[in-house]
């Protein structure tokens, strides 16, 4: 799966919550959204997403690049 064309954080599964002033991490799996936590630093949120994907058998390149037609 490619990165969403409207991704602004640069990390699939990580978004900035303007109300909290923090980074939220979440991953979709089997039709459900799994919330991984709220983080002060984008690197912490990205690591949570990467660890979850590794534990659940996602491919290494999952969500790493935007689709060729969205560039």
């Amino acid at each position: 799966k490619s990165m969403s064309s409207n991704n602004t954080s640069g990390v699939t599964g990580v978004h900035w919550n303007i109300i909290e002033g923090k980074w939220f991490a979440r991953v979709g799996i089997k039709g459900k959204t799994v919330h991984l936590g709220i983080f002060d630093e984008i690197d912490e949120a990205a690591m949570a997403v990467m660890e979850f994907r590794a534990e659940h058998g996602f491919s290494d390149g999952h969500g790493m690049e935007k689709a060729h037609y969205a560039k």
Side-chain angles (χ1 to χ4, degrees):
K1 180 159 171 101
S2 58
M3 182 183 294
S4 173
S5 62
N6 63 356
N7 181 299
T8 57
S9 71
V11 182
T12 299
V14 176
H15 74 274
W16 178 253
N17 183 287
I18 199 163
I19 294 169
E20 297 285 335
K22 296 184 185 260
W23 294 99
F24 281 32
R26 64 182 179 204
V27 176
I29 187 168
K30 297 182 182 178
K32 300 194 186 252
T33 300
V34 178
H35 296 276
L36 302 176
I38 302 169
F39 303 89
D40 291 323
E41 301 294 329
I42 191 171
D43 294 339
E44 295 170 339
M47 185 61 68
V49 170
M50 288 175 25
E51 288 174 356
F52 181 91
R53 288 185 185 143
E55 291 171 7
H56 291 86
F58 286 67
S59 69
D60 291 339
H62 184 89
M64 297 303 284
E65 295 183 10
K66 293 184 179 180
H68 67 281
Y69 53 82
K71 290 182 181 179

